[in-house]
Amino acid sequence: MTPRPQTSAAGVLALLSESDPVLQQHALKTLNGLVPQFWPEISESIPPIEELYENASLPKDAQELAALVLSKVFYYLGQYDEALSFALRAQRAFFEDGSRPGAEEYVETVVSKAIDRYIQFRTNEESGVSTETIDSGLQDIIEGIFERCIQDGEFKQAIGIALESARLDVITRIYELTKDTQLLSYVIDSVLDSGFKLAYRNKVLRHIIPLFPPPTAQSSHIYSLTRLHITLASPPLTISFLNSLTEGASELVTEQQLLAYQLAFDLVEGGTQDFIEAVRSGLPEGKTLPEKHVYVKLRKILSGEETIRLYLDFLMRNDRTDLLILKNSKEALDGRSSIYHNALTFQNAFMHCGTTSDIFLRNNLDWLARASNWSKFSVTAALGVIHKGNTHDALRLLGPYLPNPSGENSSGPYSEGGALYALGLINAGRGKDVLGYLRDRLTEAQSEIVQHGAALGLGVAGMAGGNQDAYEDLKTTLFQDSAVAGEASGYAMGLIMLGSGNERAVEEMLVYARETQHEKIIRGLAIGVAFIYYGRQEESDNIVEKLLADKDPILRYGGVYTLALAYCGTADNGAVKKLLHIAVSDTSDDVRRAAVTCLAFLLFKTPSQVPRLVQLLSESYNPHVRCGATLALGLSCAGTGMQDAIDLLEPMTKDPVDFVRQGAFVSLAMILIQQTEASSPSVASTRSLFTKVIADKHEDPMARFGAAVAQGLIDAGGRNVTITLQSRAGTKNMNAVVGMTLFCQFWYWYPLAHCASLAFEPTAIIGLCENLETPAFEFVSNARPSLFAYPAPTKPPTKETVEKVATAVLSTTAKAKAREKEKERAKAAEEGESMDTDEKPPAGETSKDVKVEDVPMKVEGEEGSAKPAEETKPAKRKEPSFEKLSNLSRVTTAQLAHISFPSEGRFQPVRTVSVTPSKSSASKKGQMYSGGGGILMLMDKTPDDPIEWIESENSIKFIPVIQTNSNGVPIGVHDLSADTAEADPPPPFEYPFDNDT
């Protein structure tokens, strides 16, 4: 007989009022199991249960059981804080009840609340807000959680709780137990890519540095160490680490020396000017001769000259620019129109960025001669993009255009201003050698146009240098209240103080922004303030609040960028929510567009989130919001080929508003850069779309401008660079973030589009020996060659030939001809003569058997054109599954996961080529790749054998001079070789006049 189900807890609750402690304990045990079913009824008896909990005469077990029952009742009532409080008082009863079937959800909720409360206590304790001691029961729960996580091998969960609750001792304990450096790398990722406060972040990073073991060749934590030093930017810490690697250097090249060189190269690519210079100047001279040689090479690497030389050599050597694309664009875009002239200028500059190839300019001097006013400024500045990184020859190359102090042979203020801007672009982020020159030109200039170029060049070249003298010179120019020069000064002041958080500079800039009447100056200062708070996180909160609450929309616009750059790369939830709110609520279209665009700067490390986040915004009724959505997708998903982003952008290329289509074209190019048809099926259709829009004279000018810029971006740097806001070490790519921020301002000022070149990252593997020279060797790409091949060159249009149309023959005519032939055959048979006919009867059939009615209608000219029944097609060659690449070859970001160095090879890299597994995350579209490629120091397994070296490319010969005569006809090309010494005259000789006929 089955027992009747219980329908009420009234009987059990009645036992609570009994005086016998045994009955009360029995009631509590029974109620503990009935709470999930009868909690509404039990909740009416909370006071009697509380009395039992407070009854000191009851055994401790009974009191804890009463607390557990109360905790469960409050849990079902939704009062989780009360549930946690009684669970903490239940102590042992709570832990024992966790194994009861059906209690999992209750236990998980209470534990999560316990963790939240513990984190809150610890956070307040660390910040000094509260001195309240933590409940011992809560401490026991947390310690139990840590123990279970460690026992179950769930180390990352324990690390996550430890980071949130500032329990760094737990991180140390876990590492000492496991000795797994991957867990320390996980700590770095968690701290840097989340919204932890700046001071706490630095505290965690400094805590884990000593835990890392000394690096060895192919150590997995080399990237993490580089990332730590770049993020902390502490010269004493970095110098100490380099010293530990070079200590005891000998004549024999050691693994540690090569690792020191490798770290130096990686620091140059990710560190700021002032940090690198402080490390370089702080290195010791060395005690022994081998140590001195090592430190000399380290200082040479840290100067940045070697990195610039190697990447310049790579881009010149592998230039695959398709000049036919530029030729077609030039023919389609009217050079007399300023917007089209600028479009082609940017397209050519981006396609030739860093290659030093000015062949298109030299071949189109007539087009150059059409540049006037600010178009001339842009086309001169384009030389800085083309020769980006060629710092050694920068002044010589730009000599014909730079201002002459004597005032003689002036090329005009627009060319002079553009040349100064170009000088800054060539020396972007590494311009300590030209800062003095640019400051002199800025202070001497009388023209606001020259001041504009000098200020932009000074800002870009002195980026994050913190040069106080340069800042004061720019401030002096700003106070002249010239709209043109003042705007550039605003940008440049922010660039000089990039990431410094200098409150005095911010105060000065905002005071002047509220005093001036020029919108251009206000905008320059607003973006300048954003640069100053780059990466400062919570330090920017007060100024962001003030800017976003300002009545001036331009300052609110600056507030949006300040928020985005301060929390750049952190994916901070609070910042994302604030931007989304502004995107749908602000009264200014410019501010709303900027808010959507700035989502990219927050989320570029997790690009797969962005398409889902902006999907609804991309369908907004407001075209400015839609335009912002296009740029957000392009900037965050750049170089990933992410199909989700492409699917959102493709419909927007048909948007009724021209500037939305412009943004869609530019963003598609960013996403599909270095993608092939094998890796992304949208590449071919997108390229043909750009060509079609440029050639369509009925298309809106803004859309054609966007398509031309997009063509330059998708083939940037001779098809050897990618666009990424993340450095190889996994840190924020400061130059790229700044460059793309300025690029987004081309909406207001076209010349700023040149700054997109700051985000171009060469994709190469460049192997170096100990002497910093490049040996000849091969490595393997374990992927089909077509997957990462260069695009096929554009084919010139074929000349169309008119084909003769076949003449149709009616069936009646064919029948008549057949009858005539039949008559002729009969007549020939009678005469005994054989006659050749056009058609012969089949074997076994006489001509008389052919019926006239069976003759079908024919088309003249078809005879002999029929294909044979079987054609022998050549067998399709199967594509190999791998290819061998040589040193200084292009290796795309996605290809890094497939690169390997054969174990039998002579040269082996000291650090791994890629930290991304080839079969999992590397193959996922949209996965960001941290680390890999670039400049690799090589270990020589047979150092006594001779080495074949690769000679450096050097083909800089000509620079076109944009000078015209009074009729506007170009004068010619300036030959740099003419500056060299004149050749000796031939020796004396006598001419044989007598033999002259």
Side-chain angles (χ1 to χ4, degrees), residues 176-412:
E176 289 176 350
L177 182 67
T178 61
K179 297 297 181 182
D180 185 359
T181 56
Q182 293 295 329
L183 292 176
L184 296 180
S185 300
Y186 175 75
V187 173
I188 297 173
D189 293 338
S190 302
V191 171
L192 296 183
D193 300 343
S194 303
F196 287 103
K197 290 188 176 181
L198 206 59
Y200 178 65
R201 182 197 75 180
N202 292 342
K203 179 181 177 182
V204 173
L205 296 182
R206 288 182 179 276
H207 176 81
I208 65 173
I209 276 187
L211 299 180
F212 278 103
T216 57
Q218 297 289 317
S219 293
S220 59
H221 62 279
I222 294 176
Y223 290 106
S224 299
L225 286 171
T226 305
R227 193 177 183 188
L228 277 172
H229 286 282
I230 291 174
T231 303
L232 290 172
S234 171
L237 198 65
T238 304
I239 291 170
S240 173
F241 183 65
L242 288 173
N243 289 341
S244 68
L245 293 175
T246 55
E247 189 176 359
S250 62
E251 294 292 342
L252 295 175
V253 180
T254 64
E255 187 179 277
Q256 298 298 306
Q257 291 175 29
L258 295 176
L259 283 169
Y261 299 152
Q262 183 68 65
L263 179 69
F265 274 117
D266 293 342
L267 288 175
V268 168
E269 290 198 46
T272 59
Q273 273 193 86
D274 54 343
F275 168 59
I276 299 299
E277 185 58 32
V279 173
R280 181 172 176 268
S281 59
L283 287 174
E285 293 296 328
K287 299 177 182 177
T288 63
L289 187 60
E291 279 189 10
K292 290 180 179 179
H293 289 163
V294 170
Y295 283 118
V296 166
K297 288 177 183 173
L298 280 175
R299 275 189 281 271
K300 184 179 180 182
I301 295 170
L302 290 171
S303 70
E305 294 177 3
E306 287 301 302
T307 300
I308 291 170
R309 175 183 69 82
L310 292 167
Y311 281 134
L312 195 65
D313 187 25
F314 161 73
L315 292 173
M316 292 166 61
R317 184 184 301 275
N318 296 280
D319 183 13
R320 300 294 179 89
T321 304
D322 194 337
L323 292 174
L324 188 56
I325 293 177
L326 281 169
K327 180 175 179 290
N328 292 339
S329 296
K330 174 182 171 291
E331 292 174 353
L333 300 173
D334 185 359
R336 293 170 296 180
S337 169
S338 175
I339 185 172
Y340 293 147
H341 201 286
N342 274 306
L344 190 57
T345 296
F346 297 136
Q347 183 180 348
N348 172 57
F350 293 155
M351 291 176 75
H352 286 106
C353 177
T355 64
T356 71
S357 172
D358 50 31
I359 185 171
F360 177 78
L361 299 178
R362 289 189 281 111
N363 292 343
N364 294 279
L365 287 173
D366 57 334
W367 171 79
L368 283 178
R370 296 177 185 173
S372 61
N373 301 329
W374 288 107
S375 293
K376 184 177 288 188
F377 179 94
S378 289
V379 80
T380 311
L383 294 173
V385 179
I386 294 171
H387 293 279
K388 179 191 171 190
N390 192 12
T391 55
H392 185 264
D393 293 322
L395 289 171
R396 184 168 65 91
L397 293 170
L398 295 171
Y401 314 99
L402 290 169
N404 191 337
S406 65
E408 298 177 359
N409 301 322
S410 173
S411 58

Side-chain angles (χ1 to χ4, degrees), residues 670-849:
M670 290 183 186
I671 294 171
L672 292 173
I673 187 171
Q674 288 199 337
Q675 299 293 318
T676 63
E677 292 182 38
S679 62
S680 179
S682 303
V683 170
S685 59
T686 301
R687 286 181 177 274
S688 61
L689 176 64
F690 295 160
T691 304
K692 177 185 174 184
V693 171
I694 292 172
D696 186 359
K697 298 187 183 300
H698 302 289
E699 183 64 80
D700 290 311
M702 287 186 74
R704 297 179 76 189
F705 176 91
V709 171
Q711 269 196 337
L713 290 173
I714 201 170
D715 287 333
R719 295 176 170 171
N720 292 300
V721 301
T722 189
I723 298 172
T724 175
L725 301 184
Q726 188 169 340
S727 71
R728 297 186 200 278
T731 58
K732 300 185 292 287
N733 186 339
M734 183 188 70
N735 283 7
V737 172
V738 169
M740 281 304 170
T741 301
L742 289 171
F743 172 76
C744 290
Q745 311 313 311
F746 83 86
W747 178 279
Y748 308 101
W749 192 234
Y750 278 155
L752 294 177
H754 284 306
C755 292
S757 62
L758 302 182
F760 295 165
E761 193 74 24
T763 52
I765 284 185
I766 303 174
L768 296 182
C769 285
E770 183 269 342
N771 60 358
L772 307 185
E773 295 296 331
T774 50
F777 70 94
E778 290 185 335
F779 53 93
V780 178
S781 172
N782 297 294
R784 292 181 290 114
S786 63
L787 200 59
F788 304 110
Y790 284 102
T794 305
K795 295 181 180 178
T798 55
K799 190 174 182 180
E800 295 184 0
T801 55
V802 180
E803 295 182 358
K804 183 179 179 182
V805 179
T807 306
V809 181
L810 297 176
S811 58
T812 54
T813 307
K815 290 177 182 177
K817 287 184 177 180
R819 290 192 194 97
E820 290 295 327
K821 289 178 181 178
E822 182 63 25
K823 289 179 182 178
E824 289 177 5
R825 288 194 192 98
K827 184 177 179 181
E830 291 176 0
E831 296 175 357
E833 297 176 1
S834 63
M835 177 178 177
D836 290 336
T837 58
D838 292 338
E839 294 183 3
K840 294 184 179 181
E845 182 180 328
T846 63
S847 60
K848 294 182 180 180
D849 296 327

Side-chain angles (χ1 to χ4, degrees), residues 469-488:
D469 293 333
Y471 174 82
E472 292 297 330
D473 289 342
L474 290 165
K475 188 169 68 172
T476 302
T477 305
L478 173 71
F479 288 165
Q480 295 175 8
D481 205 41
S482 163
V484 174
E487 180 188 27

Side-chain angles (χ1 to χ4, degrees), residues 491-705:
Y491 290 128
M493 289 164 73
L495 288 171
I496 292 291
M497 295 293 176
L498 181 67
S500 65
N502 190 316
E503 294 182 1
R504 185 181 69 84
V506 170
E507 185 63 28
E508 290 175 348
M509 293 166 72
L510 288 181
V511 167
Y512 192 78
R514 292 187 173 96
E515 291 177 355
T516 186
Q517 301 298 313
H518 297 293
E519 288 188 359
K520 291 172 73 69
I521 294 179
I522 299 172
R523 182 172 295 107
L525 290 170
I527 298 298
V529 169
F531 287 144
I532 291 177
Y533 279 107
Y534 169 79
R536 305 305 295 187
Q537 292 183 298
E538 69 276 0
E539 294 179 16
S540 69
D541 289 349
N542 290 334
I543 198 70
V544 167
E545 233 176 280
K546 292 179 183 177
L547 290 173
L548 292 179
D550 200 283
K551 64 180 181 180
D552 189 340
I554 302 178
L555 288 179
R556 295 203 302 276
Y557 179 90
V560 167
Y561 273 97
T562 304
L563 175 64
L565 295 186
Y567 288 93
C568 183
T570 64
D572 184 80
N573 285 332
V576 171
K577 288 179 181 177
K578 199 171 287 188
L579 288 179
L580 288 174
H581 175 71
I582 295 170
V584 297
S585 63
D586 200 275
T587 56
S588 168
D589 285 336
D590 284 354
V591 177
R592 295 176 70 175
R593 185 185 67 252
V596 183
T597 301
C598 284
L599 289 170
F601 295 112
L602 293 172
L603 299 170
F604 65 82
K605 290 187 179 179
T606 54
S608 56
Q609 295 183 15
V610 180
R612 177 175 51 83
L613 193 64
V614 303
Q615 184 173 6
L616 291 177
L617 295 172
S618 68
E619 300 169 0
S620 170
Y621 72 93
N622 189 322
H624 290 267
V625 173
R626 298 200 300 273
C627 180
T630 63
L631 290 175
L633 290 166
L635 293 173
S636 60
C637 304
T640 63
M642 188 187 296
Q643 195 59 43
D644 289 345
I646 295 170
D647 291 340
L648 284 178
L649 287 169
E650 284 180 340
M652 301 176 81
T653 61
K654 302 179 181 67
D655 196 277
V657 181
D658 52 1
F659 59 78
V660 178
R661 298 200 299 277
Q662 179 190 78
F665 295 146
V666 171
S667 297
L668 277 173
M670 290 183 186
I671 294 171
L672 292 173
I673 187 171
Q674 288 199 337
Q675 299 293 318
T676 63
E677 292 182 38
S679 62
S680 179
S682 303
V683 170
S685 59
T686 301
R687 286 181 177 274
S688 61
L689 176 64
F690 295 160
T691 304
K692 177 185 174 184
V693 171
I694 292 172
D696 186 359
K697 298 187 183 300
H698 302 289
E699 183 64 80
D700 290 311
M702 287 186 74
R704 297 179 76 189
F705 176 91

